[in-house]
Amino acid sequence: MQPNELLKIAETHGDPIYVYDSSKIIAQFNRLTKAFRTVPKLKLNYAAKALSNISILKLMNSLGSGLDTVSIQEVQLGLLAGFKPESIIFTPNGVSLEEIEEAAKLGVRINIDNLSVLEQFGSKHPDIPVCIRINPHVMAGGNSNISVGHIDSKFGISIHQIPHLLRIVNLTQMNINGIHMHTGSDILDIDVFLYASEILFDTAKNFKNLDFIDFGSGFKVPYKEGDIETNVEELGKKLGSRFNEFCAEYGKELTLAFEPGKFLVSEAGYFLTKVNVVKQTTSTVFASVDSGFNHLIRPMLYGAHHQIVNISNTKGRERYYSVVGYICETDTFASNRRINEISEGDILCFKNAGAYCFTMASNYNSRFRPAEVLWHEGKAILIRERENFDDLIRNQVDVKDLFTTKKEKAAVK
Ligand SMILES: *Cc1c(COP(=O)(O)O)cnc(C)c1O
């Protein structure tokens, strides 16, 4: 999006504010779909937790995407946005059997990631098909050195437990309809992805009634110049042909599924904040903005890099700034960044603000969560209002007379 378009949105709707460009989301969706065009049955299930505004979910649904959900509330959001239950997959970690049963009752696909719940669910509901989440324990050890590591991860059923898993399936006579992995940020390059996929294929051979194999996500998008970006075209070629080969061996045309979050929405997002104060200390120039890690926690939580552009002064001389928030704790967005000269009142734009930004926002310091705008076909559409004071106190119970002394009570009488 152009700086003047973003500035206009900040003027109209105030700041801080999140803006999402629908055309970028659509382009990413089409790019991934095209990369896997050789696979007859492809299903992309957008990972709702990256950005869960209902208008974004509706956009995904309109593109033909399914939905990957990690809580019963995300399942409900998906249904509200118009997804068919069978287009939703519930992929939680460490949730109760009751929550999984609730999702199953709504008709969504179930993905189970531990043997305890698998056995309980299979015993009670042998007729409901279940997908299993496998942990292939694949690590990239630098220099494309791939290994089956000893990483202790809380996610998935270890491939070393497959014999135990098979005993449970046999005992309960449950129906396994899918095999899934999501190794998250472990997978950086294509060779690692392919290596893990072979483990998934090996596992898949144990089950006769599969409908799909779900390769999760882990697609990288660039946050700054020189960043690694997953070459989805190359992955599509290599994994696509290997997948088709596997289906021929297996004797059935399976669906190849992915659950991209970041890949679809990260680059579509812009976060606009206003500079309250420019403060020169002995060694640093701080630009303090009207936001903080309550609105965008990734830099403080993961050390994530978000490019910051001064859209009020795009031609200004570049100087070094530390961009900080207004939270009363260390709250650094960026240290010693080259940014076009900043004056108080300027609007700073954070790039890659689509994924895991608004969805991780909180009310810390009793601040309101920002508004959200969808930039669609040249129009700025408000898709979430900024919170207000009523939102902050909505669920607080203001108990009357809780700390009134006996004496005061007596005085009232
Ligand atoms: C978070 C999550 C994703 C999405 O990961 P991205 O890195 O955002 O693409 C996919 N699958 C599962 C099960 C997840 O928990």
Side-chain angles (χ1 to χ4, degrees):
M1 288 183 68
Q2 297 304 312
N4 59 327
E5 293 166 343
L6 292 165
L7 278 175
K8 191 141 180 271
I9 291 171
E11 262 167 43
T12 312
H13 296 283
D15 52 84
I17 192 161
Y18 279 100
V19 181
Y20 312 115
D21 178 0
S22 66
S23 70
K24 182 64 184 175
I25 295 174
I26 296 166
Q28 290 292 92
F29 187 89
N30 290 341
R31 183 179 158 203
L32 195 52
T33 305
K34 197 172 155 213
F36 283 87
R37 63 188 175 278
T38 59
V39 176
K41 289 185 181 169
L42 175 76
K43 188 74 186 173
L44 302 183
N45 296 311
Y46 168 60
K49 75 178 190 287
L51 176 59
S52 53
N53 188 294
I54 203 160
S55 297
I56 300 294
L57 301 186
K58 284 182 177 176
L59 170 62
M60 295 297 179
N61 192 25
S62 78
L63 296 175
S65 177
L67 197 67
D68 180 67
T69 56
V70 293
S71 68
I72 189 70
Q73 290 80 11
E74 281 190 354
V75 171
Q76 289 162 342
L77 271 179
L79 293 171
L80 189 65
F83 283 94
K84 291 199 202 89
E86 59 269 27
S87 286
I88 299 178
I89 182 160
F90 184 43
T91 308
N93 171 254
V95 305
S96 67
L97 177 66
E98 290 74 24
E99 189 171 334
I100 293 176
E101 288 176 321
E102 206 181 324
K105 209 180 272 173
L106 294 171
V108 309
R109 278 181 288 141
I110 301 298
N111 191 352
I112 293 182
D113 96 323
N114 66 86
L115 294 178
S116 168
V117 168
L118 186 76
E119 183 159 15
Q120 294 175 67
F121 191 90
S123 306
K124 284 177 78 176
H125 314 283
D127 299 332
I128 302 178
V130 163
C131 170
I132 43 174
R133 178 171 184 169
I134 299 298
N135 185 341
H137 298 301
V138 172
M139 297 195 299
N143 297 328
S144 4
N145 198 346
I146 307 163
S147 63
V148 176
H150 308 286
I151 24 168
D152 250 333
S153 159
K154 70 166 186 161
F155 298 104
I157 299 166
S158 165
I159 41 159
H160 306 302
Q161 291 179 307
I162 297 294
H164 190 173
L165 189 156
L166 291 174
R167 280 196 295 275
I168 291 173
V169 172
N170 253 328
L171 209 70
T172 57
Q173 289 292 300
M174 65 193 302
N175 177 13
I176 302 299
N177 68 345
I179 307 277
H180 167 273
M181 73 167 178
H182 171 66
T183 49
S185 52
D186 295 332
I187 290 186
L188 277 164
D189 61 56
I190 288 172
D191 289 336
V192 183
F193 216 117
L194 293 172
Y195 185 89
S197 302
E198 289 304 326
I199 295 174
L200 225 53
F201 291 138
D202 272 345
T203 308
K205 287 176 195 157
N206 291 297
F207 303 96
K208 298 282 161 283
N209 298 319
L210 294 182
D211 294 323
F212 63 96
I213 300 182
D214 187 333
F215 294 85
S217 182
F219 299 108
K220 297 289 154 212
V221 297
Y223 277 70
K224 55 177 187 291
E225 248 174 72
D227 267 0
I228 305 172
E229 178 182 8
T230 306
N231 185 337
V232 296
E233 286 73 23
E234 190 188 340
L235 182 68
K237 261 196 208 125
K238 291 185 174 167
L239 181 60
S241 68
R242 180 66 189 98
F243 184 81
N244 289 339
E245 216 175 87
F246 175 78
C247 289
E249 259 173 64
Y250 186 79
K252 181 177 175 189
E253 205 166 77
L254 302 174
T255 296
L256 190 167
F258 280 117
E259 320 161 330
K262 194 177 275 183
F263 182 83
L264 295 180
V265 296
S266 173
E267 294 165 283
Y270 302 85
F271 183 47
L272 309 180
T273 63
K274 187 178 282 157
V275 177
N276 285 332
V277 182
V278 177
K279 180 193 271 188
Q280 169 87 62
T281 64
T282 40
S283 57
T284 306
V285 188
F286 288 100
S288 305
V289 298
D290 64 347
S291 179
F293 71 66
N294 53 325
H295 295 155
L296 201 173
I297 202 173
R298 300 186 73 258
M300 289 301 292
L301 187 62
Y302 307 128
H305 181 109
H306 286 264
Q307 201 195 328
I308 302 172
V309 182
N310 182 0
I311 56 171
S312 298
N313 185 23
T314 51
K315 301 250 154 59
R317 192 164 68 93
E318 284 189 355
R319 300 188 56 184
Y320 283 92
Y321 294 94
S322 286
V323 179
V324 294
Y326 57 19
I327 291 295
C328 292
E329 264 188 64
T330 302
D331 186 15
T332 309
F333 286 121
S335 298
N336 290 314
R337 263 311 162 78
R338 275 175 73 141
I339 300 173
N340 296 110
E341 185 153 12
I342 298 174
S343 309
E344 291 174 358
D346 282 356
I347 300 288
L348 300 189
C349 172
F350 291 70
K351 301 269 197 85
N352 285 78
Y356 308 107
C357 292
F358 186 92
T359 47
M360 286 192 179
S362 76
N363 292 118
Y364 188 44
N365 279 205
S366 296
R367 296 286 186 182
F368 306 144
R369 275 177 291 193
E372 296 181 290
V373 158
L374 184 67
W375 178 252
H376 184 60
E377 295 175 348
K379 283 202 201 68
I381 304 157
L382 186 68
I383 57 171
R384 186 191 298 266
E385 289 179 20
R386 186 179 313 286
E387 286 180 334
N388 57 35
F389 195 71
D390 289 339
D391 296 318
L392 274 190
I393 56 168
R394 172 154 298 132
N395 294 326
Q396 301 202 43
V397 181
D398 187 5
V399 183
K400 297 297 171 215
D401 293 338
L402 186 56
F403 302 110
T404 312
T405 61
K406 280 182 189 152
K407 223 171 158 183
E408 284 165 334
K409 276 183 193 161
V412 170
K413 277 179 199 159

